[in-house]
Amino acid sequence: MPATAATPPDPALAAWIATLGDRLLAVAPLAGDVSPRRYARLELAGGGTAILASYPEEVRAALPRFAATTELLAAGGVRVPRVVALAAEPGWMLLEDLGTATLADWRRRPRRELARWFAEGRAVAGRIAALPAAAIEALNPPLDRELLERELEQTWRLHLEPEGLVGDAGLARELERALATLCASLAAEAAVPCHRDFMARNLMPLPAEPSLAVLDHQDLRLGPPAYDLASLLNDTLFPSPELEEELVARALPGEGGRVSYHRAAAQRTLKAVGTYVSFARRGAPRHLPLVAPTLARALGHLARTPEGTPLAPRLAPLWSRVPPAA
C-alpha cells in the first residue's frame, strides 16, 4: 500500500508506543479502499517501522478475528505479518512491516518470475485448505450457497440488469437458473478453509526469505476447495493460459476439478464486478476500469461450465459491447 504525506503523531498513539518500549517519530497514512479500517506506516525511534491498523468501533469485532487468524495461519506454515501488539479499546493493532510491494505490483516482471510466485501461491492456498476446519468454522460464517448467491445478486442488481446484460426475459431466467446451479454445485463440495480474498493485492512476495506473505486474512472461512485458487489466478494479475492449466491440474486434478475451478472463477469474477460498482457508488471509482475485462473473464469461465456453455454465445454480444460502468 502506498503511503501518503506523513502526519503529526497522535499523542494517545505515541503514549501507547511508549508503553511498548519505543518512541513514535512519524505517521504516514497508507492508501486504502472503502473499508472503515485505516492503515499507516509508523517510523519508530528504535530504527524500524511498523504498520498500524486502526479499527473504528463499527468493525472492531474483526480485530480479535485478525489476531486469531494470524495465529492459525502461522501455525499452519503460512507466512503472515506478525502481530506486534494489540490495544482493544482504541482498536489499534501494530503489525510487522513487510514492505510496500504486493504481488499485484509485479505485473511488469518477467513471466518466469511471476510463474514462481503463482506456484508458491498455489502451495500457500493448499496450506490454508489444510488448516483445522473446526477452528475456522468458529470464526466466520461459511462461503455457502446462500452467500455465493447473495454476492451474485449484488452484481445482477447493480450492473447486469441496469446495463441490459441479462437480455430478454427468457435469457434472464436461464441465466438466473444457471447461476443458481453453479452456486449450488460449488456449495455441494466438501468445504475447506479459504482465505476468501486470496488475490494478488493481498499477497506479498518476500524474495529474501523466500516466501509469499498473506495479508488481510480476517475473513478466513470454510468454502469451496477451488475458491482460493480461482481468486489467485483471476484478479489483477493473470498467469499465461498454459500456466493456469498447469496450476489447476496440480491443485484440482481430473475433469471434475477443472469444472469446479471454472465455476469458482466465474462466481468470483462476477462477484468482483458487483464489488467494483458498489465501491464506485460509495465514492471509490478507481476499480471501474476493471469492470469490462473482469466481466469478459467471467464469461470465459462460465462458458466452460456445464450450466454456462449453452448461454455463453448468447451473452457474449451483450457483455462485450457494454463499456465499463460509470
Side-chain angles (χ1 to χ4, degrees):
M1 289 179 287
T4 58
T7 60
D10 174 77
L13 176 61
W16 180 54
I17 297 297
T19 68
L20 303 177
D22 213 327
R23 184 163 57 88
L24 180 60
L25 298 180
V27 179
L30 300 173
D33 241 321
V34 296
S35 167
R37 288 171 295 167
R38 294 293 177 264
Y39 296 90
R41 176 167 282 106
L42 307 186
E43 182 183 348
L44 305 173
T49 60
I51 300 299
L52 176 73
S54 300
Y55 287 68
E57 191 170 353
E58 64 268 30
V59 294
R60 200 157 292 166
L63 187 58
R65 276 208 314 277
F66 190 98
T69 55
T70 297
E71 186 175 341
L72 280 167
L73 289 163
V78 177
R79 182 68 164 95
V80 289
R82 181 172 56 90
V83 176
V84 178
L86 191 152
E89 182 63 29
W92 291 334
M93 184 163 53
L94 201 62
L95 299 168
E96 176 186 10
D97 187 358
L98 295 179
T100 60
T102 68
L103 187 56
D105 298 312
W106 282 50
R107 62 174 60 89
R108 292 183 178 84
R109 298 290 186 101
R111 280 194 169 184
R112 65 181 180 277
E113 291 186 37
L114 294 177
R116 167 198 169 187
W117 293 113
F118 276 120
E120 173 67 9
R122 180 193 67 81
V124 171
R127 291 197 285 274
I128 292 174
L131 293 174
I136 304 303
E137 190 174 18
L139 291 173
N140 288 301
L143 195 58
D144 57 10
R145 178 177 180 175
E146 181 183 356
L147 181 50
L148 291 167
E149 288 185 342
R150 188 162 70 244
E151 290 176 340
L152 296 190
E153 284 168 9
Q154 173 175 263
T155 302
W156 189 288
R157 176 171 45 86
L158 296 184
H159 190 68
L160 297 183
E161 196 167 47
E163 295 291 345
L165 304 186
V166 298
D168 58 30
L171 180 57
R173 283 193 297 271
E174 290 182 56
L175 180 57
E176 279 186 308
R177 285 196 294 268
L179 295 178
T181 297
L182 183 149
C183 291
S185 299
L186 287 172
E189 299 180 34
V192 301
C194 296
H195 178 280
R196 205 283 174 84
D197 213 7
F198 196 73
M199 59 181 182
R201 285 170 284 163
N202 283 334
L203 300 171
M204 184 171 285
L206 303 176
E209 298 203 17
S211 62
L212 190 64
V214 177
L215 313 177
D216 203 20
H217 46 72
Q218 68 278 340
D219 285 338
L220 196 67
R221 66 191 64 213
L222 298 183
Y227 194 85
D228 275 356
L229 184 66
S231 303
L232 171 67
L233 304 182
N234 290 278
D235 193 307
T236 309
L237 186 71
F238 309 104
S240 67
E242 297 78 16
L243 180 57
E244 181 182 18
E245 288 291 329
E246 177 186 335
L247 293 170
V248 172
R250 286 178 177 272
L252 304 160
E255 184 57 29
R258 183 172 283 102
V259 170
S260 295
Y261 166 74
H262 289 300
R263 281 175 169 150
Q267 194 280 341
R268 169 75 188 183
T269 47
L270 273 176
K271 176 249 185 184
V273 169
T275 301
Y276 298 153
V277 176
S278 174
F279 282 177
R281 291 189 173 199
R282 291 151 66 188
R286 64 189 179 92
H287 295 305
L288 284 180
L290 300 176
V291 167
T294 304
L295 196 61
R297 199 163 184 90
L299 184 60
H301 286 294
L302 190 62
R304 299 181 69 177
T305 68
E307 55 276 8
T309 298
L311 293 177
R314 298 161 62 192
L315 292 170
L318 296 170
W319 290 17
S320 63
R321 72 169 185 252
V322 177

